[in-house]
Amino acid sequence: MTSSYKGAVSRLFLISFIFAMGLTRMAVSQEHSRTIEFPDIPGYKTLKCDLHMHTVFSDGSVWPNIRVQEAIKDGLDAICITDHLEYQPKNTDIPHTDRNRSYQLASEAAIGQDLIVINGAEITRSMPPGHSNAIFLKDANKLNVDDPMEAFKEAKRQGAFVFWNHPHWTSQQKNGVATLTEMHLELLSEGLINGVEIYNDHTFSDEALEIAHKHNLALLGNSDIHGLIDWTFEVPRGGHRPVTLVFAEEKNETSLKEAFLHQRSVVWFDNTLVGSEEFLAPLVKQSLKVSRLGKSMVQTLMIENVSDADYILENDSDYTLHNQASVFIVKSHETTKIQVKTIESLDSFDLKFSVLNAFTAPGKHPEIQIHIQ
Ligand SMILES: [Zn+2]
Ligand SMILES: [Zn+2]
C-alpha cells in the first residue's frame, strides 16, 4: 500500500513537473508569437506599421483606444486609423461631424507610449476609383467632398501619402484581378496615388504587385481591421496581423513618410514577405546570425533566426549540404544546424540561398549571399 502510494505521488510529481515545463516553454513561445519582430537593416530602422484600421467612428466595432492597445501588444511602431469619410453607418448612435475625431482619441490614448499615431482617412468611393487611404493628413474633414478627384487633390495639398486600398476586393472587382482604369491612370499621372495595398485583411494580389512595379508605387499590407485583431488573425493560436515593414532613417512621422515616398517597404503576412530585392535581401540576411564551429571539410554552421519568419531556404551554393536536403527551413527564433561539404577545409567560403517564402515579383524569390570566415 505504502510503496504504491509513494509511486502514485512521485508519478503525480513527475506529471506536474512535465506540465510545468510545458507551461514555461509555452510562455516563452507565446512571448515571440505576439510581438512582431524583425531586425533593422544597414542604414535603416525597420518600423512595423499597420496603416489601415477602423473604429466606431465609421464601421468598426471598437473605440479608438483599443486600436492603440492592440498595436502596443503587437509591438508596432506606427498605426493610422483610417475611418471611412463617406460611410458612417453608426452616426445615429455616435453622431459626430469631425472626421479627425478617431485620430484625436487614439493620439490621446497613445500619450507616453512608444507608438506613432498618424492622422488618416479612407476615401470610400465606388469603382472607379474604389477605396484609397490618405495618411499624414492635417485635416481629414477637407477631403469629405463630392468629387473624388477633388478629395485626392486636397490630400496632396495637405502633403499626404495616398495608397489604393484592396484593388482586388471582389465587392468592387468581381474577378479579383486588380485593374487600372482611366481614372487611376489619371490619378497616377498627377502623382495623386503613391502606393498600393498588395495585401489586405486575408487577401493577396499578384496583379497589384505588378501594378506597383510598373508605376513605382510603395507596397503596403494592412489589417483593415473592423473587429478585434486577436479574433480576426487568430493571435492566441500563433497568428499575426499583416504589417507593412518600413525602412526609415529614424522612428518618427517625417522619416516614415520619406521612406514611403522612396518605396522603402516590405509586406509581411502569414509566413510570407513581399518587397524589392534591395530591402528583402538585407532583411533576411540581418535575420540570420551565422556562426562557424571549428574548421573541417564538412563544415558545421549554426544559423540563429532572430525574426518572426520561418525562412524556407533553397541552397544555390557551389557546395551540397550534409545534414539537410537542398530545401530546408530555418525556424523563427530558433537555431538551425547546417553542414556544408566544402570538400577541402577552407578558411572562408560563400553560401547562396534563394528565400522561397519571400517574393520580389510574382514567382520570383530574393537571393541572399552569406560570407563565412
Ligand atoms: Zn475599403
Ligand atoms: Zn477599410
Side-chain angles (χ1 to χ4, degrees):
M1 280 291 277
T2 320
S3 70
S4 72
Y5 172 71
K6 262 188 186 165
V9 168
S10 63
R11 268 200 302 281
L12 191 67
F13 176 76
L14 189 67
I15 290 163
S16 336
F17 180 72
I18 290 166
F19 183 66
M21 287 296 286
L23 280 183
T24 312
R25 267 202 299 278
M26 250 166 67
V28 169
S29 65
Q30 270 176 355
E31 209 177 295
H32 282 305
S33 65
R34 175 87 220 193
T35 309
I36 298 172
E37 290 175 18
F38 281 92
D40 293 338
I41 65 169
Y44 298 112
K45 290 189 193 322
T46 301
L47 303 185
K48 296 155 281 178
C49 310
D50 186 357
L51 304 167
H52 190 167
M53 49 180 70
H54 297 275
T55 74
V56 290
F57 286 85
S58 63
D59 59 345
S61 304
V62 308
W63 198 254
N65 65 333
I66 300 298
R67 294 289 172 245
V68 170
Q69 290 171 30
E70 288 174 322
I72 291 166
K73 277 180 189 289
D74 285 347
L76 300 192
D77 296 292
I79 60 168
C80 184
I81 296 182
T82 52
D83 278 315
H84 299 284
L85 286 170
E86 304 88 344
Y87 181 53
Q88 297 271 313
K90 293 177 181 173
N91 64 0
T92 47
D93 292 307
I94 304 171
H96 69 99
T97 51
D98 186 358
R99 297 291 188 273
N100 302 300
R101 189 62 189 140
S102 51
Y103 159 70
Q104 287 162 358
L105 289 163
S107 295
E108 284 165 23
I111 288 172
Q113 303 288 346
D114 193 18
L115 176 71
I116 301 169
V117 178
I118 298 162
N119 195 6
E122 183 161 8
I123 303 168
T124 309
R125 305 292 175 132
S126 54
M127 194 73 94
H131 298 189
S132 296
N133 278 352
I135 68 171
F136 305 107
L137 284 175
K138 292 185 173 73
D139 181 2
N141 295 313
K142 290 187 177 157
L143 275 66
N144 197 11
V145 291
D146 287 339
D147 180 359
M149 289 302 287
E150 272 311 308
F152 284 87
K153 284 177 187 167
E154 174 58 28
K156 190 172 187 179
R157 278 194 288 274
Q158 293 187 26
F161 170 83
V162 178
F163 56 93
W164 187 12
N165 295 343
H166 46 69
H168 50 287
W169 186 34
T170 49
S171 297
Q172 288 194 326
Q173 185 67 44
K174 288 212 175 338
N175 60 12
V177 176
T179 308
L180 290 167
T181 64
E182 284 301 318
M183 192 188 280
H184 290 107
L185 291 170
E186 190 184 340
L187 287 164
L188 287 167
S189 71
E190 292 188 30
L192 299 175
I193 291 181
N194 324 104
V196 62
E197 277 184 342
I198 57 164
Y199 197 88
N200 172 284
D201 186 0
H202 289 95
T203 60
F204 175 67
S205 173
D206 269 328
E207 293 82 8
L209 180 58
E210 281 173 332
I211 289 170
H213 283 320
K214 192 166 174 202
H215 295 275
N216 212 19
L217 301 175
L219 304 177
L220 291 104
N222 297 309
S223 69
D224 199 358
I225 187 71
H226 289 70
L228 292 175
I229 288 288
D230 284 50
W231 294 353
T232 305
F233 298 101
E234 300 192 343
V235 176
R237 288 167 58 188
H240 68 90
R241 71 169 95 197
V243 288
T244 308
L245 302 174
V246 187
F247 306 103
E249 282 170 13
E250 301 292 335
K251 181 175 173 176
N252 59 43
E253 231 183 281
T254 310
S255 279
L256 195 59
K257 189 163 126 184
E258 189 267 342
F260 269 126
L261 292 172
H262 291 91
Q263 298 89 41
R264 293 201 304 266
S265 66
V266 159
V267 173
W268 164 238
F269 63 92
D270 298 334
N271 190 45
T272 306
L273 289 160
V274 182
S276 68
E277 181 101 26
E278 187 185 355
F279 300 106
L280 262 181
L283 184 68
V284 178
K285 233 181 134 173
Q286 292 302 311
S287 300
L288 304 175
K289 311 286 175 203
V290 183
S291 53
R292 177 180 192 170
L293 298 185
K295 205 174 115 182
S296 83
M297 285 183 272
V298 179
Q299 182 62 60
T300 299
L301 303 171
M302 304 304 284
I303 307 178
E304 184 194 359
N305 179 356
V306 298
S307 82
D308 274 11
D310 288 334
Y311 290 111
I312 305 169
L313 301 184
E314 183 174 52
N315 182 26
D316 297 336
S317 315
D318 296 337
Y319 318 105
T320 55
L321 304 181
H322 191 53
N323 68 329
Q324 306 272 8
S326 56
V327 176
F328 60 100
I329 298 176
V330 177
K331 282 200 171 170
S332 133
H333 301 293
E334 288 189 15
T335 299
T336 301
K337 180 167 93 174
I338 65 163
Q339 292 179 303
V340 186
K341 288 180 278 187
T342 53
I343 310 301
E344 297 165 64
S345 178
L346 298 173
D347 285 333
S348 69
F349 54 97
D350 289 306
L351 296 175
K352 275 186 281 182
F353 299 106
S354 287
V355 187
L356 301 188
N357 61 314
F359 295 88
T360 54
K364 282 195 179 156
H365 306 291
E367 191 178 71
I368 55 161
Q369 288 204 30
I370 299 172
H371 183 66
I372 308 294
Q373 265 187 321

